[in-house]
């Protein structure tokens, strides 16, 4: 079996100083295969963004600290790579898209200049060829009249158009891995559908692997091959998409799925999960979900449940899994 | 039926000024000729993409923004011509909650102070009954008396929204405008707040104008739905009807684009191209025609008026009575998800019995 493109192994990222150090990401492991789409889903504060920043080694240190584990990209451990090699990877073999392109696009340069700059850093294209390639990329992401728009500044574009430019920039150097952190969260559903379709089309053409981070189970269901569910800095469940939705096991996953109102299913009342996510500095001996979990018992409150396989490729971190013994 | 709230021809155009002389160079046509009615105890949802005029409409109802034209009648009283003093009195009946209650809660006031203000101002409580009234409204919103001494920053997002709802509810209004009240919340907390709003409606008979861009939430909570596009209502119908048989191409695109948390449902097709045009210069004819998948020549020049088709009002030249209806699937009790929820619910019930005993 081929080695995965990216493998995150027992990653731990801490924040804070002295006695106030807390883990924002605590023992997270997963792998992304070449050409595949892996989703990370969970509510806010669960450590999704810190995980994605860590993979690009963009966690600011201090206040952050890489406190353990490894991030292997094509075999090499990114946590041990010199910064110069990391810089070559970012925007090169690793592209990235964030929720708010306005903060990641530079407002004082035109969209074209930013793509040209990235092309020149990572290849030996001439200025002329780089500009042509920039227009080609803007056309690829279906920005209307790319030859004109190439000279626009980010603020002259709509939110959806800026996200297209961001994708063009991320794809400029044919990355092997695209990391997208809530790429459509700030957009209207109509524009979201356009952007997700675009990402999928581009993936079919280029074979880029995608790590898609989102709080939206609907987006996961429609785009991912495999899903990691995060809760309070840890992975609580991981499975191929069909298995996760067809056979959800962790009480948090079940609660999350039932809490989402459905446009195609009638329900009198939404199911809720009581309480809210504990802050990462709250020290908890056992399962971090115990305070909200109807199944919690003494063992749950005292011993952290390990992530165990209940079926091939389906892992759950719950002492009570499989919940009803009827793993479908 | 006489409506609780009757809105006719509501219009708000913001002047755009340029240059040192601040000359008016154009108007943002935020809301144009919007009419609807809200009955006591029901929920009218207003949906549409960002910038289509939802918040402007909501704020204009309470005259937090002065309408440019139109009529707003609350229980028969015309609001647009009320004196500021009378309008303030009227706000006992009409309240509003926002997406981020933090922005509208004074950070230096405890929850008790936040709630006391409207209670005393509108004479709902006297100094003697204040304590009890505060406790009562906190209880209605799922908060405890000890929350009264806390400051807004001490609350989580969901609890803060409960405080926002408690403040709106304090004077027992007949209508609350809810402007994206759950959009900033995580789904598990969103579900708690949606349930709370529904419980309060059943208990107190309060009506909502529920503004949202999330069609799934709207399907769940609304009695009727108005879809806005570039400042105008393009379709309005009872909720069940709108989702079963959407007649406007824009409504159909919105419904199609909503992601479904079900891998078997397949990926949503982007059925609408491009972005919504600017409200500074809405396209002629039907404002939706540049993005409409079925537009014909007439759509480019002639603006479609709202017309009735069955229980639906729709503004589209091509709209016809629906031939097929997409009925919602009932919640299937035999899926693994449903079975597991039942296991969790049973465990929760056992725990509650345990603590009660
Ligand atoms: N720079 C930082 N300093 C301190 N704490 C941080 C920092 N960045 C993130 N955190 C904390 O780490 C936790 C995880 O955050 P994040 O990864 O952004 O969550 P998510 O993306 O899942 O919403 C949060 O509790 C957050 O407060
Ligand atoms: N105070 C204002 N001055 C000028 N334009 C405004 C103002 N408030 C809103 N707008 C414009 O009016 C339109 C409708 O805005 P809004 O009602 O906030 O939409 P929504 O709530 O549906 O996102 C938008 O084009 C917006 O930019
Ligand atoms: S009137 Fe024409 S352009 Fe407008 S929605 Fe109907 S078909 Fe489309
Ligand atoms: Mg995040
Ligand atoms: Mg708004």
């Amino acid at each position: 079996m081929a080695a995965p493109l990216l493998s995150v192994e027992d990653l731990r990222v801490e924040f804070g100083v002295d006695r106030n150090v807390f883990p924002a990401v605590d023992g997270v492991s997963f792998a992304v295969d070449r050409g595949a789409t892996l989703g990370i889903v969970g509510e806010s504060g669960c450590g999704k963004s810190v995980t994605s920043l860590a993979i690009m080694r963009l966690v600011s240190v201090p206040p952050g600290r890489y406190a353990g584990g490894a991030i292997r990209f094509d075999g090499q451990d990114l946590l041990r790579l010199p910064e110069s090699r990391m810089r070559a990877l970012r925007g090169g073999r690793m592209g990235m898209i964030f929720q708010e392109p306005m903060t990641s696009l530079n407002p004082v340069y035109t969209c074209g200049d930013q793509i040209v700059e990235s092309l020149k850093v990572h290849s030996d294209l001439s200025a002329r060829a780089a500009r042509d390639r920039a227009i080609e990329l803007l056309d690829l992401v279906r920005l209307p009249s790319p030859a004109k728009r190439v000279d626009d500044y980010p603020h002259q574009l709509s939110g959806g158009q800026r996200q297209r430019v961001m994708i063009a920039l991320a794809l400029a150097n044919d990355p092997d891995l695209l990391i997208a952190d809530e790429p459509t969260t700030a957009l209207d559903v109509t524009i979201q559908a356009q952007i997700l379709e675009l990402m999928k089309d581009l993936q079919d053409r280029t074979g880029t692997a995608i790590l898609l981070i989102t709080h939206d189970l609907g987006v996961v269901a429609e785009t991912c091959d495999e899903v990691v569910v995060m809760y309070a800095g840890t992975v609580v469940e991981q499975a191929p998409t069909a298995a996760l939705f067809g056979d959800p096991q962790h009480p948090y996953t079940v609660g999350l799925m039932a809490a989402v109102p459905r446009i195609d299913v009638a329900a009198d009342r939404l199911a809720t999960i009581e309480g809210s996510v504990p802050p990462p500095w709250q020290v908890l001996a056992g399962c971090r979900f115990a305070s909200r979990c109807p199944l919690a018992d003494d063992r749950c409150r005292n011993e952290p449940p390990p992530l165990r396989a209940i079926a091939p490729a389906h892992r759950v971190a719950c002492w009570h899994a499989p919940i009803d013994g009827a793993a479908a | 039926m006489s409506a609780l709230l009757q809105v006719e021809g509501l219009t708000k155009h913001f002047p755009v000024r340029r240059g040192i002389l601040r000359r008016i160079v154009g108007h943002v046509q935020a809301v144009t000729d919007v009419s609807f009615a809200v009955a006591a105890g029901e929920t009218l949802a207003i949906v549409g993409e960002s910038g289509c005029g939802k918040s402007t409409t909501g704020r204009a109802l309470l005259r937090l923004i002065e309408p440019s034209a139109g009529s707003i009648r609350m229980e028969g009283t015309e609001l647009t011509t009320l004196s500021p003093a009378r309008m303030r009195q009227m706000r006992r009946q009409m309240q509003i909650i926002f997406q981020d209650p933090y922005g509208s809660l004074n950070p230096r006031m405890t929850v008790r102070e936040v709630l006391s203000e409207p209670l005393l101002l509108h004479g709902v409580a006297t100094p003697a009954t204040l304590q009890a009234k505060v406790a009562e409204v906190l209880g209605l919103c799922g908060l405890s008396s000890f929350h009264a001494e806390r400051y807004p920053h001490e609350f989580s997002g969901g609890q803060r929204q409960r405080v926002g709802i408690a403040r709106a509810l304090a004077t027992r209004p007949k209508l609350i405008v809810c402007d994206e009240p759950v959009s900033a919340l995580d789904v598990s907390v969103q579900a708690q707040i949606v349930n709370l709003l529904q419980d309060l409606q059943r208990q107190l008979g309060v009506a909502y104008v529920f503004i949202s861009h999330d069609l799934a939430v709207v399907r769940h909570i609304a009695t009727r739905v108005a879809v806005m596009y570039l400042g105008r209502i393009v379709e309005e119908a009872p909720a069940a009807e709108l989702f079963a048989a959407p007649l406007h191409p824009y409504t159909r695109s919105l419904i199609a684009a909503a992601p479904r948390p079900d891998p078997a449902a397949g990926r949503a097709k982007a059925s609408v191209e491009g972005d919504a045009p600017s409200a500074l210069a809405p396209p002629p004819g039907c404002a939706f025609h540049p993005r409409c998948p079925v537009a014909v020549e007439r759509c480019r020049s002639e603006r479609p008026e709202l017309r009735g088709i069955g229980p639906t009002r729709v503004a589209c030249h091509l709209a016809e009575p629906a031939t097929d209806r997409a009925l919602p699937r009932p919640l299937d009790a035999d899926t693994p998800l449903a079975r597991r929820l039942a296991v969790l619910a049973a465990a929760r019930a056992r725990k509650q019995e345990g603590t009660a005993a």
Side-chain angles (χ1 to χ4, degrees):
Chain A
M1 211 171 71
L5 174 66
L6 174 79
S7 110
V8 173
E9 295 160 13
D10 205 17
L11 178 69
R12 183 178 168 99
V13 182
E14 297 175 343
F15 287 101
V17 284
D18 299 336
R19 301 206 311 128
N20 297 318
V21 169
F22 63 87
V25 170
D26 193 4
V28 163
S29 302
F30 58 83
V32 187
D33 288 326
R34 280 166 212 281
T37 302
L38 177 88
I40 300 184
V41 69
E43 295 177 292
S44 52
C46 285
K48 304 182 299 294
S49 292
V50 170
T51 302
S52 70
L53 288 172
I55 293 168
M56 292 174 294
R57 239 180 58 200
L58 286 175
V59 173
S60 41
V61 180
R65 194 167 80 89
Y66 299 101
I71 299 171
R72 283 183 223 291
F73 181 69
D74 215 3
Q76 52 193 345
D77 185 357
L78 300 184
L79 293 181
R80 289 169 216 295
L81 225 51
E83 179 57 25
S84 60
R85 301 260 315 272
M86 263 327 285
R87 261 202 300 272
L89 279 178
R90 287 184 213 120
R93 294 186 59 199
M94 282 164 74
M96 42 209 172
I97 316 173
F98 300 104
Q99 174 173 344
E100 191 21 81
M102 211 45 197
T103 57
S104 21
L105 290 172
N106 192 325
V108 303
Y109 294 108
T110 66
C111 300
D113 284 345
Q114 301 187 50
I115 298 174
V116 165
E117 182 57 29
S118 169
L119 287 167
K120 290 212 295 215
V121 168
H122 295 281
S123 71
D124 45 16
L125 287 183
S126 71
R128 187 56 208 265
R131 187 180 158 86
D132 288 346
R133 171 83 179 131
I135 295 172
E136 203 181 295
L137 283 160
L138 293 177
D139 190 40
L140 188 71
V141 298
R142 291 180 221 135
L143 192 72
S145 25
K148 261 202 319 228
R149 285 305 171 79
V150 71
D151 295 318
D152 276 359
Y153 290 89
H155 75 264
Q156 292 173 284
L157 305 176
S158 70
Q161 291 172 336
R162 280 198 289 267
Q163 202 54 289
R164 287 173 194 273
V165 172
M166 200 59 220
I167 295 174
L169 188 60
L171 293 177
N173 297 293
D174 297 321
D176 297 322
L177 175 67
L178 186 64
I179 298 174
D181 189 351
E182 307 266 8
T184 58
T185 300
L187 305 174
D188 283 307
V189 285
T190 47
I191 313 296
Q192 166 169 283
Q194 294 171 14
I195 297 288
L196 293 177
E197 198 165 293
L198 173 68
M199 286 174 58
K200 204 74 194 160
D201 282 359
L202 294 174
Q203 181 177 46
D204 289 345
R205 271 203 252 175
T206 61
T208 307
I210 299 178
L211 179 62
L212 181 77
I213 287 162
T214 176
H215 66 279
D216 189 331
L217 282 168
V219 169
V220 163
E222 291 182 358
T223 55
C224 298
D225 303 311
E226 202 184 344
V227 191
V228 165
V229 182
M230 280 187 78
Y231 184 77
T234 62
V235 175
V236 295
E237 185 159 6
Q238 179 178 9
T241 307
L244 187 87
F245 284 88
D247 182 24
Q249 285 286 345
H250 196 283
Y252 178 61
T253 314
V254 171
L256 208 53
M257 283 184 185
V260 180
R262 296 280 299 263
I263 200 166
D264 51 351
V265 178
D268 286 339
R269 198 174 170 76
L270 295 174
T272 61
I273 308 175
E274 282 159 42
S276 48
V277 183
W281 46 86
Q282 189 171 327
V283 179
L284 294 166
C287 171
R288 299 196 70 96
F289 189 61
S291 63
R292 304 175 77 185
C293 183
L295 299 182
D297 55 21
D298 283 342
R299 179 166 59 163
C300 302
R301 281 182 282 271
N302 294 311
E303 284 174 64
L307 194 63
R308 321 176 268 138
I310 56 141
H314 192 159
R315 286 190 280 279
V316 187
C318 171
W319 289 121
H320 291 273
I323 295 186
D324 55 4
Chain B
M1 176 201 77
S2 93
L4 176 70
L5 179 79
Q6 183 85 43
V7 178
E8 268 158 46
L10 182 68
T11 299
K12 178 65 189 183
H13 291 178
F14 294 101
V16 179
R17 294 168 194 277
R18 289 270 156 71
I20 30 174
L21 295 178
R22 310 295 297 148
R23 267 217 301 269
I24 295 177
V25 294
H27 284 90
V28 178
Q29 301 179 26
V31 175
T32 305
D33 198 15
V34 160
S35 304
F36 57 81
V38 183
E42 77 164 0
T43 300
L44 172 78
I46 303 180
V47 301
E49 289 167 291
S50 56
C52 72
K54 304 183 295 296
S55 294
T56 305
T57 301
R59 275 157 223 228
L61 295 182
L62 283 84
R63 282 181 59 200
L64 300 175
I65 292 176
E66 286 298 335
S68 315
S71 150
I72 304 165
R73 267 172 294 145
M74 178 73 182
E75 298 189 297
T77 307
E78 176 62 49
L79 301 186
T80 52
T81 52
L82 281 189
S83 69
R86 287 284 319 279
M87 191 59 220
R88 265 196 303 280
Q89 283 172 9
M90 207 63 201
R91 294 214 180 98
R92 174 173 174 178
Q93 304 296 348
M94 303 173 75
Q95 291 283 332
I96 186 164
I97 56 181
F98 299 101
Q99 173 170 342
D100 176 17
Y102 204 51
S104 61
L105 292 173
N106 183 337
R108 278 183 291 276
M109 278 163 93
T110 62
V111 168
R112 172 183 311 289
E113 290 163 331
V114 165
L115 298 180
S116 300
E117 214 172 47
L119 284 170
L120 294 172
L121 182 73
H122 291 289
V124 179
T126 62
T129 61
L130 188 59
Q131 179 99 358
K133 283 280 178 197
V134 167
E136 185 187 329
V137 69
L138 283 175
L140 275 175
C141 297
L143 296 166
S144 310
S145 296
F146 67 83
H147 287 121
E149 310 315 325
R150 304 260 170 103
Y151 291 89
H153 73 263
E154 296 177 69
F155 289 92
S156 66
Q159 283 178 317
R160 212 138 60 206
Q161 195 53 285
R162 287 179 196 270
V163 174
I165 295 170
R167 182 180 56 178
L169 214 61
T171 61
R172 295 302 161 82
K174 295 193 172 130
L175 177 81
I176 301 181
V177 174
C178 309
D179 191 352
E180 307 263 9
V182 296
S183 302
L185 303 175
D186 279 312
V187 282
S188 68
V189 181
Q190 168 179 294
Q192 296 169 6
I193 298 296
V194 165
N195 286 348
L196 173 65
L197 287 171
Q198 288 185 309
D199 291 345
L200 291 171
Q201 185 166 63
R202 279 185 207 117
Q203 251 176 293
L204 309 172
V206 57
Y208 299 128
V209 171
F210 189 90
I211 294 170
S212 177
H213 66 272
D214 186 334
L215 281 168
V217 172
V218 162
R219 149 155 254 166
H220 187 75
I221 205 168
T223 323
R224 281 180 312 119
V225 184
V227 181
M228 284 185 78
Y229 189 76
L230 276 180
R232 290 177 187 268
I233 292 181
V234 296
E235 181 161 6
E236 198 228 296
E241 186 67 21
L242 187 103
F243 287 98
L247 298 185
H248 198 285
Y250 179 61
T251 311
R252 286 202 288 267
S253 324
L254 281 181
I255 292 174
R260 286 138 172 83
D262 176 6
R267 189 150 48 92
K269 277 276 161 285
S271 49
V272 157
E273 299 278 317
D275 300 293
S278 156
L280 256 172
C286 171
F288 185 57
H289 86 254
R291 302 169 83 193
C292 181
V294 295
V296 294
E297 196 47 47
R298 182 181 175 201
C299 306
R300 285 177 253 281
S301 52
E302 190 187 328
R303 190 167 54 73
E305 296 290 340
L306 276 173
R307 60 195 165 98
I309 297 185
T312 301
R313 289 193 302 154
V314 59
C316 168
H317 292 308
L318 305 185
E320 284 175 16
T323 46
D324 54 345
R325 311 169 71 78
L327 293 176
R329 289 184 287 127
L331 204 57
D332 187 350
D334 205 32
T335 61
L337 177 61
R339 287 203 306 273
R340 264 145 230 175
L341 261 179
V343 172
L344 295 183
R348 188 176 294 147
R350 272 198 306 278
K351 269 192 188 173
Q352 268 157 7
E353 261 169 45
T355 44

